[in-house]
């Protein structure tokens, strides 16, 4: 999975409302587009550092380090808006990690070339 889902790679389709991108049929929440570019950049750096720390901890068998690093990943993802309360304000539910074919995006998803 890429680090910065807010700038989903061109090969990952983005829902028409810009809330999710799709990987293997599954919706993944994008970062909050209202974040300032410098804030987003700093948070993505924190996320990548934390993900690297998870890998280091896993390779070294450091359970406590892994727990801490995963906590940092979660904090960065919350700050980016990829987890936690949704960043949109129209009351639409969070469909993160749902299969697109089982959501209100199903008809849009069916039109994609896969």
């Amino acid at each position: 999975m890429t680090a910065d889902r807010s700038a989903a790679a061109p090969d990952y389709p983005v829902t028409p409302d810009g809330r999710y991108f799709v990987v293997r049929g599954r919706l993944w929440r994008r970062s909050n587009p209202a974040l300032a570019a410098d804030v987003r950049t700093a948070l993505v750096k924190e996320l990548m550092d934390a993900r690297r720390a998870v890998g280091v901890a896993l390779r070294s068998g450091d359970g406590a380090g892994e727990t801490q690093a995963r906590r940092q990943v979660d904090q960065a993802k919350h700050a980016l808006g990829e987890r936690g309360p949704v960043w949109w304000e129209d009351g639409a539910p969070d469909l993160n990690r749902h299969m697109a074919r089982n959501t209100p995006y199903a008809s849009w998803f069916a039109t994609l070339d896969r």
Side-chain angles (χ1 to χ4, degrees):
M1 194 65 27
T2 61
D4 182 10
R5 292 187 183 142
S6 67
D11 52 334
Y12 295 135
V14 174
T15 58
D17 57 14
R19 293 176 181 166
Y20 305 94
F21 67 100
V22 182
V23 177
R24 289 177 287 186
R26 191 171 301 277
L27 299 172
W28 294 93
R29 193 189 323 168
R30 296 180 75 202
S31 297
N32 183 344
L35 293 173
D38 59 331
V39 172
R40 180 185 319 276
T41 298
L43 290 171
V44 169
K45 182 184 181 321
E46 288 178 24
L47 175 60
M48 294 311 299
D49 289 347
R51 284 183 168 165
R52 278 189 291 278
V54 168
V56 168
L58 284 170
R59 286 187 296 279
S60 67
D62 178 4
E66 179 188 352
T67 298
Q68 177 59 29
R70 289 189 186 280
R71 188 174 301 119
Q72 290 169 333
V73 166
D74 190 58
Q75 289 170 348
K77 288 185 147 293
H78 272 81
L80 283 163
E82 295 175 11
R83 292 184 183 160
V86 298
W87 43 260
W88 52 88
E89 299 176 355
D90 64 0
D94 185 10
L95 301 172
N96 195 36
R97 299 184 181 184
H98 286 69
M99 296 304 290
R101 69 178 182 263
N102 299 327
T103 70
Y105 298 104
S107 59
W108 165 81
F109 182 67
T111 68
L112 299 179
D113 290 333
R114 287 177 258 149

